[in-house]
Amino acid sequence: MNCILLPETSFQHDTAHIYDLAQIAHVNKVLSAKVGDSLKIGQLDGKLGSAIIEDIAPDRIQLGDIQLTINPPPKLNLTVVLALPRPKVLRRLIMDMTALGVNDIILINSYRTQKSYWQSPMLGRLDEFVLEGLQQGVDTIAPRISLQKRFKPFVEDELASLITNRAIVAHPYSALSFSQYVQQLGSNEPPHRSVGSLLPSMVFIGAEGGWIDYEIDLLATQGCAAVNIGPRILRTEAAVNVILGQWLL
């Protein structure tokens, strides 16, 4: 973790306390921090800054000289709609999307999503994974996460109201590449428009196995353009990072 994030309740006047055992272990074993050392900290939903370690006990760390003056980095103007993946990769994907600054995450059912995934205890640990991602990305504002267990009603009844700019769906068998898609948009815009302003506000990414033709066609009826990101078939984790890298750049 690249910063220690604490809830508002951990702060009292000019002091704060770390009670989370994983965070305490990180301070002791990874950072090898001692009393008097400075820590990079942040308040959840608040600002980033620093604090000085005043006392270390097995079950808590007391901090003083709290300085929270730095605004968190801006979020990406992006909603990621992700077909619910295998539970073992859900943690990594939530962490990565959070660290990259995704503003909204929608976990959705798809034809290739196994029903058992929706009963996974991992879904009850999303806040934990988000916290890990925030501490990795040095951010304090968690993404909004929602669950959509019915694909067709979501696309037909809710999707249009959520698309603030334009939307794409990652599909390795599309004839149109992501770069071609952006170039086509740019050719219809004034020369001064930046590439960032042309990027869509929503992207659909399938789980392993991708989307079926019916899902691609249904998304197309709502204006979602199918694009590929190259000739290689990538794992979901790789595809998420490759695609979101376009917004970071």
Side-chain angles (χ1 to χ4, degrees):
M1 58 186 72
N2 293 315
C3 70
I4 304 292
L5 290 186
L6 303 173
E8 184 179 0
T9 54
S10 292
F11 294 86
Q12 293 181 345
H13 304 296
D14 58 348
T15 64
H17 290 85
I18 301 174
Y19 294 108
D20 182 89
L21 295 181
Q23 292 177 329
I24 293 173
H26 182 81
V27 171
N28 288 324
K29 298 179 181 180
V30 178
L31 300 180
S32 299
K34 307 297 183 184
V35 171
D37 288 348
S38 177
L39 288 182
K40 183 182 292 185
I41 69 166
Q43 180 178 311
L44 283 169
D45 298 319
K47 293 189 176 185
L48 296 157
S50 63
I52 301 298
I53 299 176
E54 293 185 337
D55 184 58
I56 297 178
D59 59 347
R60 62 146 182 84
I61 295 176
Q62 180 174 313
L63 306 174
D65 191 19
I66 310 297
Q67 303 290 330
L68 297 177
T69 59
I70 303 170
N71 290 324
K75 293 292 187 186
L76 301 180
N77 180 29
L78 180 65
T79 296
V80 173
V81 184
L82 177 70
L84 185 66
R86 291 178 296 143
K88 66 182 296 184
V89 303
L90 179 62
R91 172 179 175 267
R92 295 196 297 269
L93 286 168
I94 294 296
M95 286 177 57
D96 285 348
M97 289 188 289
T98 299
L100 289 168
V102 173
N103 200 41
D104 291 272
I105 300 170
I106 299 173
L107 299 175
I108 196 169
N109 194 50
S110 72
Y111 181 81
R112 293 193 169 109
T113 295
Q114 294 187 25
K115 292 182 179 180
S116 61
Y117 293 176
W118 290 103
Q119 279 73 53
S120 170
M122 286 293 191
L123 288 174
R125 299 174 59 191
L126 295 181
D127 288 346
E128 173 188 333
F129 307 150
V130 166
L131 180 61
E132 292 183 73
L134 290 174
Q135 293 181 140
Q136 172 65 38
V138 192
D139 192 1
T140 66
I141 309 299
R144 294 181 291 263
I145 301 180
S146 62
L147 308 181
Q148 295 288 341
K149 296 184 179 181
R150 302 175 66 200
F151 182 87
K152 186 172 184 286
F154 170 78
V155 173
E156 293 183 336
D157 302 333
E158 300 184 45
L159 179 56
S161 65
L162 299 177
I163 301 175
T164 58
N165 184 5
R166 51 183 67 90
I168 59 172
V169 52
H171 186 48
Y173 305 112
S174 170
L176 182 69
S177 71
F178 185 88
S179 60
Q180 290 171 333
Y181 169 80
V182 174
Q183 289 171 2
Q184 288 180 7
L185 293 175
S187 65
N188 298 321
E189 298 290 339
H192 66 273
R193 287 287 296 275
S194 66
V195 173
S197 66
L198 299 175
L199 293 174
S201 61
M202 179 176 287
V203 56
F204 283 75
I205 302 175
E208 290 183 18
W211 307 101
I212 63 172
D213 290 342
Y214 169 79
E215 293 166 337
I216 295 293
D217 293 341
L218 192 62
L219 290 170
T221 64
Q222 300 297 327
C224 299
V227 301
N228 72 69
I229 53 174
R232 300 179 184 274
I233 306 298
L234 303 178
R235 296 176 64 182
T236 304
E237 303 100 296
V240 165
N241 288 296
V242 168
I243 293 171
L244 298 190
Q246 307 301 316
W247 276 259
L248 291 179
L249 297 174

